[in-house]
Amino acid sequence: QVGMLYLTATHTIFVGKGSEDRSELWVLHSLVCNVVKHKASQSGYPLLIHCKNFQVMQFIISQESDSFVYLIQFSKLYCFSFNPNVDKAEREHSWDFLDLKAEYSRMGLPNKLWHVTPINREYRVCDTYPADLFVPQSVTLPVIIGSSKFRSRGRFPTLSYYCKENHATICRSSQPLSGFSARCLEDEQMLQAIMKSNPGSRFMYVVDTRPKLNAMANRAAGKGYENEDNYCNIKFQFIGIENIHVMRNSQQKLIEVSALRSPSMGEFLMGLENSDWLRHIKSIMEAGIFISKAVAEEGVSVLVHCSDGWDRTAQVCSVASVLLDPYYRTLKGLMVLIEKDWVSFGHKFSHRCGHLDGEAKEVSPVIDQFLDCLWQLMEQFPCYFEYNEKFLISIHNHIYSCHYGNFICNSQKERKDLCIKEKTHSIWPHLWENKLDFMNPLFKPDQSQNQGLLRPRTAPYCFKYWRRLYNRFDRELHPRQSELDCLMTVKEETQQLEEDLALCEQKLAVLDKERAKTLYMQKGVLESKQALWSLPLDTSLANTPQDYIGGFIGGAPNVFTLQQGERESAELCLFGDKPKSSDADNSDQESGVADFSSHSSGEESLPSEDSVKDPDSDETGPNRA
Amino acid sequence: MELSEHIKTANVEDVTLRRPFHPALRGTLCVTSHHLLFSDRKDEASWQLLILLKNIDAIEKSVENLFGYPRAVGSSGTITIKCKDLLVLQLEIPGMEECLNIASSIEALSSLESVTEMYPFFYRPSHLTLNGPWGLSSTEQYYKQTERLWDRWRVSTVNSDYSVCPSYPSAVIVPREVDDDKLIHSARFRQGGRFPVLSYCHHRNGMVIMRSSQPLTGANKKRCKEDELLLQAVIDGSELGYIIDLRSAQQAQQARMTGGGFESKSFYSHWKRIHRHHERGKVVQESLIKLVEACSDPSHSVDRWLSKLENSKWLSHVHSALSTAGLVVECVERDGHSVLVHGSEGTDNTLLVSSLAQLILDPASRTVTGFLCLLEREWIQAGHPFQQRCAHSAYSHARLKQECPIFLLLLDCVWQVWRQFPLALEFSEALLLRLAQEVYASNYGTFLCNSEQERCAAGVKENTHCLFQSLLRPDIEEQYLNPLYEPTDLAIWPSVHPQSLQLWTGLFLRWTEYAQNMEEAREEVWSIVKEHHEQAGPDRTNNTLSTHCDTLTSFENLMDELTIL
């Protein structure tokens, strides 16, 4: 494909010089992961751009330029300049779409056992925790402060999920600063209180999600794990999820495998195996299963931690919550869950997603793994999730795009300091508006048969490669027809028809009533004129329309329904050939366009200003897009 | 020897049956000439399990208390039965002797050699009669129905007594201008007498797919004028045809040492040869064995599983079958050339590729009837040696002879196509699973024997029922329909990237809990579609309602008039 490449303040835009349709490709700068310049060849200067949403583009430019080098040094994120046509009130309203307080009260909190502690209102005890935290009623402020001093970064044990039915909870924290022998009375009291807040059980689990070796090594640095002898009634357990660096390398290998051009079956499977990605997914899943079973089946509370309590802990707590509670398998529920366990509890999005140029060592696909776990679950339980994989992919895209403010910064405090809510928009209402695209037609809302708990298999063949995410932009790899879309249309049509039917019935009822009235009023007249009007007036006759067709009824209504029928089948046919489907990217691009125009009318810099690069750049286009 | 003589113990009480994901059951076990019957002890609503003995691939026995205890003190034995449909059962049988007797009866009766002793010859359900026509179609009928063939092609009955080619049907379709005499010569020049015959004629451009076996050029490059003329007649004036040789170039060269060979460029100047390597025979059988073994142990780590999956090479076979079929389709549909497909014998991979190509090309073969006709034409009549290939499946300890799951490979490939085009096939996965089961053990005679000649000799058509016919009975067919079917006229090009090919969980993980959730999803799809049919369904409800409404309106008008009066 040949065309022009534009650089704006926010996007890289490629406009193809197609014969009829002008194809456009918009890429947010914040999505660009790295840019590789290859040695000049005869055709020009090749430039390879890798994106965080796994898109890979290759441009060949006729003149050499350094313009792309500064591209990755952008520090001003798109969400601050993203300015769709909505007024201020609406924007503020968008941030109220999700309310964590409401979520806790959905769980049944606060109650006799748990309450909100005001201790972290100013983020003084722990600057990476949210302002509102739930702790057992019986815990006093000094205990919390003491406990927080004994935990890495002050992340003391606090509630993440509460099970109304049996009072068991999932709590989270960071590792204790136990070293080889240190102990802390307040921390022990804290755990004791958590255990006691679950009246039905006589012990609690403490789950350290790290491999044992890593935890032991931490002891040398004055950190470590809980000693079972010091804490009453705890059962301690290592799970063995690897750290962020291992995960980063694993995903890197996985991406390399996914980008192989026509590999053999063997190469692909070997590459998949060598990446270890699925093994890591399995270990996270197993941790989630362990916790969900402890809570639902044993009725035992669990405290989860890793090192700092914002990566593996977030993964494991949220996977367990999804397994436990059907609510998190609904659209809104998943949004709330991410907002609660990830955003509010200080998962370091800015660092992990590499929003800004920072330390490469801090980047890690922690949230990708959570989404991957969800996808694996959806594959195993096709009828138990209200959302479909497009929803997960959209979320993934927006976590990295910095289009919206939700996933900016590393903690609630930072977000407050930067006035994210005042300056940016929230993603959730946007996704909610498009929820029709994200629905799973197979979803069965009634999941009472197993008290809502999912019991996934962990046999190795249950873990699969997520082609739709990692090969998102390789259209030719995906099914050409979408079962999902087809079912969705069918379902919508059914609903439409049901409504039509209901409407007709309503009308009929009204008419029936009116007719009865008229009949009653006109009875006298009719009786006298019966000789003239030989129409018998039995109600039953109304059911034999064929007697009247000649006189009163045109073909109109019939024709109408017929057309409707035809339209349906035509739609279904369309599907077969051309997927209007599966491009979760579309919405993204469209909003990009919308904003572009609002830009040029609005404040700041005109995008075209600094941007127009190589007006006659010669391209071979995005070969993978 | 009568079959019943193999049965030393026919009945055992108090047997415990263990199946995956079901509670253990106690009941009575019964061995008959062809079946293993287990029935639950409870009288009311008793539950029965009936397994064809032929379905049993391997049987393992372990007897406890061999020494020491007298028999009366409850010695018992356990038999593990591994079926060809990959189900594994365990039977705990009280009494050592009974256990050994049962095991040996099963061993003897599950590996019958004689075709006429097999169950299809005894299966006489009340709703079927034997006197009707057998099978769905014949070469002559196919020719008659396919108008586009009439001009340039004819039906030849040169093989009516199976003397020219023992594995071909009595009638085949060949170019009109080639007479039977030339066919006989060409047959002598092809392995097993399988001279080039028509497999498919494309409805859009009249290009054809031919199939044959390898030419017997041998070490000293023999040639056969008649064979060359036959192929020349196929392309009839057009510039070029493609020969897709399902062996690597090196293998084809080596074949010359043993009397086989390939069409050389100098004698077949209008044909371009392309070599594609396909594994065959034992290698594919071993792939199946390895794959099933890998699937049967859920305790493996993910790494180990992936390496076993890779090591089995099953998906690689799927990959190459689909790629070569894609190549054939490319030649025929996109480039407008005719194609000849062959490997060595022309009874395995050749049929796999030619039938897959038809599925991709031809909308008619994507209906239930069309697909079964395709299987009948390209596999049963074309002489795929089912009896040899499907004698044993993945569990058997018997020494492998000529077993090869090439038909399963076909079903797997069709499944992959269905995954990629979920709306394009009229049939569902259930039909593929049913066929995968029937091909190894069946009540019907369809998959018996190795060729039409053998089937004639054994009287299969007279004495057994036809599977395909019974699958097409409306009440049966319904179970195998794809609720989302939406016919398309276009070729359905499958993606053959490794990322797009998946393990056929429906078959290989059929007896795990994994499959149960999928079953639930399938039911949900059905109920959505059914609901839709009820609502939209021939618009009748709506029509009556709206007419009804209008009647009333008109009635009202009438009333108004009356009032005026």
Side-chain angles (χ1 to χ4, degrees), chain B residues 171-191:
Chain B
V172 291
I173 301 173
V174 292
R176 186 170 280 287
E177 58 190 86
V178 177
D179 59 33
D180 284 357
D181 207 38
K182 287 204 184 86
L183 295 179
I184 293 172
H185 277 95
S186 169
R188 283 192 202 129
F189 184 61
R190 295 271 173 182
Q191 183 173 0

Side-chain angles (χ1 to χ4, degrees), chain B residues 177-213:
Chain B
E177 58 190 86
V178 177
D179 59 33
D180 284 357
D181 207 38
K182 287 204 184 86
L183 295 179
I184 293 172
H185 277 95
S186 169
R188 283 192 202 129
F189 184 61
R190 295 271 173 182
Q191 183 173 0
R194 293 176 73 92
F195 55 90
V197 295
L198 179 117
S199 160
Y200 171 68
C201 175
H202 193 31
H203 63 284
R204 248 197 288 283
N205 56 17
M207 292 300 136
V208 296
I209 300 175
M210 308 284 292
R211 53 176 161 74
S212 70
S213 61

Side-chain angles (χ1 to χ4, degrees), chain B residues 3 43 125 136 170 185 191 212 220 228 238 244 253 257 300 326 335 373 376 395-396 402 426 431 473-474 507 530:
Chain B
L3 289 180
D43 287 325
L136 305 177
S170 55
H185 277 95
Q191 183 173 0
S212 70
N220 41 12
E228 289 160 26
S238 82
I244 312 280
Q253 281 287 356
M257 298 304 133
H300 286 317
D335 303 342
C373 283
E376 189 179 57
Y395 290 122
S396 174
Q402 291 180 300
E426 195 196 16
L431 181 69
R473 284 178 30 209
L507 179 70
K530 269 195 185 133

Side-chain angles (χ1 to χ4, degrees), chain A residues 471-580:
Chain A
N471 288 107
R472 212 178 130 191
F473 295 93
D474 305 320
R475 290 236 176 96
E476 74 274 21
L477 294 192
H478 302 297
R480 310 307 150 85
Q481 297 175 324
S482 164
E483 207 169 350
L484 197 107
D485 291 346
C486 174
L487 278 171
M488 223 43 225
T489 336
V490 164
K491 239 184 148 168
E492 270 164 41
E493 271 166 23
T494 311
Q495 208 172 5
Q496 186 59 45
L497 286 164
E498 251 165 35
E499 277 163 23
D500 288 354
L501 196 73
L503 206 75
C504 280
E505 268 162 354
Q506 240 172 31
K507 241 192 207 157
L508 192 69
V510 172
L511 284 172
D512 253 336
K513 230 193 238 161
E514 273 183 16
R515 198 180 58 117
K517 229 165 39 191
T518 339
L519 261 179
Y520 179 74
M521 278 158 56
Q522 300 300 327
K523 213 177 169 191
V525 187
L526 272 170
E527 270 166 0
S528 60
K529 308 245 171 182
Q530 237 172 21
L532 273 173
W533 293 91
S534 56
L535 288 173
L537 289 168
D538 292 355
T539 27
S540 66
L541 252 193
N543 283 327
T544 55
Q546 61 273 27
D547 292 346
Y548 300 97
I549 280 173
F552 297 99
I553 302 164
N558 297 1
V559 170
F560 172 70
T561 29
L562 253 179
Q563 276 173 344
Q564 212 178 24
E566 273 166 18
R567 193 169 49 81
E568 285 157 24
S569 57
E571 263 172 20
L572 279 170
C573 280
L574 264 179
F575 263 78
D577 315 333
K578 202 64 218 210
K580 61 177 182 186

Side-chain angles (χ1 to χ4, degrees), chain A residues 301-532:
Chain A
S301 294
V302 185
L303 171 68
V304 186
H305 69 74
C306 45
S307 297
D308 291 319
W310 52 46
D311 294 316
R312 286 168 272 197
T313 304
Q315 288 175 330
V316 168
C317 287
S318 46
V319 168
S321 304
V322 169
L323 293 174
L324 279 168
D325 194 335
Y327 176 66
Y328 298 126
R329 292 172 230 143
T330 62
L331 277 161
K332 192 125 184 215
L334 180 62
M335 298 179 187
V336 169
L337 184 67
I338 292 176
E339 194 67 28
K340 173 170 77 74
D341 275 354
W342 294 81
V343 178
S344 86
F345 271 105
H347 173 68
K348 304 203 290 175
F349 281 103
S350 279
H351 285 166
R352 296 293 178 256
C353 306
H355 288 332
L356 301 171
D357 237 12
E359 272 203 66
K361 275 190 173 168
E362 283 283 319
V363 175
S364 185
V366 179
I367 187 126
D368 296 17
Q369 290 183 315
F370 168 60
L371 295 175
D372 203 323
C373 283
L374 281 180
W375 180 79
Q376 306 285 354
L377 287 172
M378 285 159 61
E379 284 287 293
Q380 274 200 51
F381 300 97
C383 303
Y384 289 75
F385 287 81
E386 189 189 31
Y387 40 86
N388 58 34
E389 70 177 329
K390 280 187 222 162
F391 188 52
L392 302 185
I393 292 171
S394 274
I395 291 177
H396 181 272
N397 195 52
H398 284 298
I399 285 172
Y400 287 93
S401 72
C402 305
H403 203 136
Y404 295 89
N406 303 62
F407 308 112
I408 310 296
C409 302
N410 292 321
S411 66
Q412 203 174 57
K413 179 168 181 289
E414 278 184 26
R415 271 183 283 272
K416 218 162 234 169
D417 293 347
L418 266 175
C419 306
I420 292 288
K421 287 197 183 184
E422 283 73 46
K423 291 181 184 161
T424 71
H425 297 256
S426 167
I427 171 77
W428 306 123
H430 166 72
L431 290 177
W432 187 251
E433 273 164 33
N434 296 311
K435 67 177 174 187
L436 273 184
D437 289 342
F438 301 134
M439 293 294 227
N440 170 16
L442 300 179
F443 176 57
K444 286 200 245 179
D446 175 38
Q447 299 181 7
S448 49
Q449 68 270 41
N450 46 4
Q451 284 94 42
L453 177 68
L454 288 187
R455 291 185 182 82
R457 305 280 102 208
T458 54
Y461 43 71
C462 297
F463 295 89
K464 297 192 274 191
Y465 170 76
W466 190 2
R467 182 187 56 216
R468 284 264 189 214
L469 182 66
Y470 298 108
N471 288 107
R472 212 178 130 191
F473 295 93
D474 305 320
R475 290 236 176 96
E476 74 274 21
L477 294 192
H478 302 297
R480 310 307 150 85
Q481 297 175 324
S482 164
E483 207 169 350
L484 197 107
D485 291 346
C486 174
L487 278 171
M488 223 43 225
T489 336
V490 164
K491 239 184 148 168
E492 270 164 41
E493 271 166 23
T494 311
Q495 208 172 5
Q496 186 59 45
L497 286 164
E498 251 165 35
E499 277 163 23
D500 288 354
L501 196 73
L503 206 75
C504 280
E505 268 162 354
Q506 240 172 31
K507 241 192 207 157
L508 192 69
V510 172
L511 284 172
D512 253 336
K513 230 193 238 161
E514 273 183 16
R515 198 180 58 117
K517 229 165 39 191
T518 339
L519 261 179
Y520 179 74
M521 278 158 56
Q522 300 300 327
K523 213 177 169 191
V525 187
L526 272 170
E527 270 166 0
S528 60
K529 308 245 171 182
Q530 237 172 21
L532 273 173

Side-chain angles (χ1 to χ4, degrees), chain A residues 257-258 260 262-266 268-270 272-273 276 278-279 282 379-384 441-444 449 457-465 467 471 476-483 486-487 490-491 493-494 497-498 500-501 504-505 507-508 511-512 514-515 518-519 522 525-526 529 533 535-537 542-543 545 548 552-553 557-558 561-562 564-565 568-569 572-573 575 577, chain B residues 21 294-310 313 315-316 319 418-425 484 486-488 490 492-503 505 509 512-514 517-518 520-525 528-529 531-533 535-537 539 541-563 565:
Chain A
V257 172
S258 72
L260 287 177
S262 56
S264 75
M265 201 73 220
F268 174 70
L269 289 174
M270 290 286 272
L272 196 57
E273 183 196 337
D276 267 345
L278 294 178
R279 183 167 68 85
K282 185 179 173 201
E379 284 287 293
Q380 274 200 51
F381 300 97
C383 303
Y384 289 75
L442 300 179
F443 176 57
K444 286 200 245 179
Q449 68 270 41
R457 305 280 102 208
T458 54
Y461 43 71
C462 297
F463 295 89
K464 297 192 274 191
Y465 170 76
R467 182 187 56 216
N471 288 107
E476 74 274 21
L477 294 192
H478 302 297
R480 310 307 150 85
Q481 297 175 324
S482 164
E483 207 169 350
C486 174
L487 278 171
V490 164
K491 239 184 148 168
E493 271 166 23
T494 311
L497 286 164
E498 251 165 35
D500 288 354
L501 196 73
C504 280
E505 268 162 354
K507 241 192 207 157
L508 192 69
L511 284 172
D512 253 336
E514 273 183 16
R515 198 180 58 117
T518 339
L519 261 179
Q522 300 300 327
V525 187
L526 272 170
K529 308 245 171 182
W533 293 91
L535 288 173
L537 289 168
N543 283 327
Y548 300 97
F552 297 99
I553 302 164
N558 297 1
T561 29
L562 253 179
Q564 212 178 24
E568 285 157 24
S569 57
L572 279 170
C573 280
F575 263 78
D577 315 333
Chain B
F21 306 110
C295 290
S296 60
D297 190 351
S299 64
H300 286 317
S301 72
V302 174
D303 295 0
R304 193 157 165 69
W305 154 252
L306 284 173
S307 90
K308 284 192 156 224
L309 181 64
E310 195 269 319
K313 298 272 187 278
L315 283 172
S316 306
H319 180 255
W418 170 67
R419 283 314 301 148
Q420 295 188 26
F421 296 90
L423 317 184
L425 305 182
L484 304 176
E486 195 61 47
T488 164
L490 306 169
I492 47 175
W493 303 86
S495 156
V496 294
H497 296 264
Q499 288 99 318
S500 317
L501 302 178
Q502 298 171 324
L503 177 73
T505 47
L509 304 175
T512 65
E513 256 179 44
Y514 189 80
N517 293 325
M518 301 303 125
E520 192 181 355
R522 261 194 295 280
E523 276 166 25
E524 193 59 30
V525 172
I528 289 173
V529 175
E531 207 179 321
H532 182 250
H533 282 313
Q535 291 297 332
D539 291 357
T541 34
N542 267 5
N543 264 348
T544 34
L545 260 178
S546 42
T547 14
H548 199 154
C549 284
D550 280 77
T551 320
L552 279 168
T553 329
S554 58
F555 224 103
E556 253 189 324
N557 292 344
L558 224 113
M559 289 302 169
D560 289 346
E561 273 179 61
L562 265 176
T563 332
L565 276 173

Side-chain angles (χ1 to χ4, degrees), chain B residues 415-522:
Chain B
W415 181 82
Q416 306 283 354
V417 172
W418 170 67
R419 283 314 301 148
Q420 295 188 26
F421 296 90
L423 317 184
L425 305 182
E426 195 196 16
F427 47 91
S428 67
E429 186 181 7
L431 181 69
L432 302 176
L433 289 173
R434 173 82 191 263
L435 290 169
Q437 191 168 9
E438 296 282 344
V439 75
Y440 281 101
S442 177
N443 291 345
Y444 299 90
T446 303
F447 292 117
L448 289 179
C449 302
N450 295 311
S451 64
E452 198 165 275
Q453 184 186 21
E454 285 184 26
R455 272 186 286 274
C456 267
V460 168
K461 292 189 183 183
E462 292 75 31
N463 296 305
T464 73
H465 295 286
C466 170
L467 171 69
F468 295 161
Q469 279 171 336
S470 92
L471 288 178
L472 285 176
R473 284 178 30 209
D475 53 324
I476 310 278
E477 190 189 0
E478 199 186 354
Q479 322 166 22
Y480 299 118
L481 292 178
N482 173 8
L484 304 176
Y485 177 54
E486 195 61 47
T488 164
D489 242 3
L490 306 169
I492 47 175
W493 303 86
S495 156
V496 294
H497 296 264
Q499 288 99 318
S500 317
L501 302 178
Q502 298 171 324
L503 177 73
W504 186 6
T505 47
L507 179 70
F508 295 108
L509 304 175
R510 189 172 186 180
W511 308 105
T512 65
E513 256 179 44
Y514 189 80
Q516 289 175 353
N517 293 325
M518 301 303 125
E519 189 52 43
E520 192 181 355
R522 261 194 295 280

